[in-house]
Amino acid sequence: MKHTLFVMLSGLLFSTATYAQTDTLNAPATVLPGVYADPHIAAFGKKFYIYPTTDGSEGWNATSFTAWSSKDLVKWKSEKVILDLPRDITWAKERAWAPAIAYKNGKYYYYFSADVNIGVAVADKPTGPFKDALGKPLVKKAMLKGQMIDPMVFVDDDGAAYLYFGQGNCNIVKLNDDMISYDATKIISIKPKGYNEGSFVFKRNGKYYLSWSEFDTRDPRYSVAYAVSDSPMGPFIKAEQNPILKGKGVVKGAGHHSIVQVPGKDEWYIAYHRFKIPGGNGYNRETAISPLRFDEKGNILPVDVFEKVKPVKIK
């Protein structure tokens, strides 16, 4: 009887462990309170930062941008509004979407979508205050095919910076050293299979990874795929194992991501939005973070959207 009871208890324990691994009804808590989307995550100094879109309005009519900081990726502090379109920008008043940030020349350059144009602001600190660098768009509405939104800037090891942007197509151009101008005749437009929007680029072990969102942000199938190249300008070859990030169970619409490396370590995390849980949709999205891992060949492994992030310190 004792042996039988042990077997039954062992089976119960095994079943409980199995359930914990396959539970798709209890997603990890969000990292930002309320509804925020399109998070750009970065590490500066001893802190991590997230620059999101303020969500919660049909048509995505937000008018300002906020920043958030963290010492451990788990607890986040509001740095409040860092750029307000009606107050700080003369050429756009609404549709403040999908920002990104880059550091060069001792300055922080903040790239943002505003009324389907792309602008750039500059500050001395990652929390601003940011000031419009041009007094006009960096990329004007309808300049190319598709929407002129979702900027991302990658600064390479040699200091060269590259701008990636666009919905419908992924447009790539090398920025000038001032970070606020470029040669428009040098723009390359590509469209990897499945590409919709939200491009992001990082470098690991000499390889350039271009990732993007597929489907529409209002679609529960919204997901992230990637390609690899030997150059920041491409050509990029889409990986066989895709998507790397997608919803499962209660998590829907997982996409529009960014990726950060813990400084000094081969340790990576992906920030993204998902439909608000419960009752969210493409206008009510919330920000989450998950670990990002690679296999021995450098392929990105599928992200587990139910894995909780443990506190991480920058040394």
Side-chain angles (χ1 to χ4, degrees), residues 217-265:
T217 191
R218 292 162 290 191
D219 191 325
R221 297 173 297 171
Y222 199 53
S223 51
V224 172
Y226 82 102
V228 179
S229 177
D230 292 325
S231 165
M233 299 286 289
F236 288 93
I237 300 175
K238 189 173 182 179
E240 294 182 4
Q241 300 289 330
N242 269 307
I244 55 166
L245 174 71
K246 64 178 180 179
K248 183 178 181 181
V250 72
V251 175
K252 302 184 186 306
H256 204 122
H257 68 302
S258 56
I259 295 167
V260 68
Q261 179 183 11
V262 179
K265 296 183 178 181

Side-chain angles (χ1 to χ4, degrees), residues 102-119:
Y103 177 78
K104 187 178 175 180
N105 305 328
K107 300 283 187 180
Y108 296 88
Y109 295 88
Y110 185 74
Y111 303 84
F112 58 94
S113 308
D115 196 24
V116 200
N117 303 271
I118 292 173

Side-chain angles (χ1 to χ4, degrees), residues 104-281:
K104 187 178 175 180
N105 305 328
K107 300 283 187 180
Y108 296 88
Y109 295 88
Y110 185 74
Y111 303 84
F112 58 94
S113 308
D115 196 24
V116 200
N117 303 271
I118 292 173
V120 56
V122 65
D124 294 323
K125 299 187 298 182
T127 54
F130 285 89
K131 295 183 178 180
D132 187 4
L134 294 173
K136 61 181 181 180
L138 176 67
V139 180
K140 293 183 67 173
K141 183 188 301 185
M143 190 179 88
L144 301 168
K145 185 179 179 181
Q147 293 189 84
M148 302 298 99
I149 60 173
D150 298 355
M152 188 274 161
V153 169
F154 166 73
V155 181
D156 209 346
D157 299 332
D158 62 359
Y162 302 84
L163 172 66
Y164 304 80
F165 64 96
Q167 183 274 332
N169 287 297
C170 179
N171 307 295
I172 309 170
V173 67
K174 185 177 181 180
L175 290 171
N176 293 330
D177 287 339
D178 62 9
M179 297 291 280
I180 59 172
S181 65
Y182 56 90
D183 183 347
T185 66
K186 300 289 180 64
I187 295 175
I188 296 172
S189 295
I190 63 174
K191 187 167 185 176
K193 186 177 180 181
Y195 179 92
N196 182 34
E197 61 190 8
S199 56
F200 190 88
V201 171
F202 69 92
K203 186 179 184 180
R204 180 179 183 269
N205 294 341
K207 296 289 185 180
Y208 298 86
Y209 293 74
L210 168 68
S211 45
W212 61 85
S213 292
E214 301 189 337
F215 299 102
D216 184 270
T217 191
R218 292 162 290 191
D219 191 325
R221 297 173 297 171
Y222 199 53
S223 51
V224 172
Y226 82 102
V228 179
S229 177
D230 292 325
S231 165
M233 299 286 289
F236 288 93
I237 300 175
K238 189 173 182 179
E240 294 182 4
Q241 300 289 330
N242 269 307
I244 55 166
L245 174 71
K246 64 178 180 179
K248 183 178 181 181
V250 72
V251 175
K252 302 184 186 306
H256 204 122
H257 68 302
S258 56
I259 295 167
V260 68
Q261 179 183 11
V262 179
K265 296 183 178 181
D266 187 25
E267 185 176 345
W268 303 76
Y269 293 86
I270 184 168
Y272 55 95
H273 69 237
R274 66 193 189 199
F275 286 8
K276 183 180 181 295
I277 302 171
N281 54 30

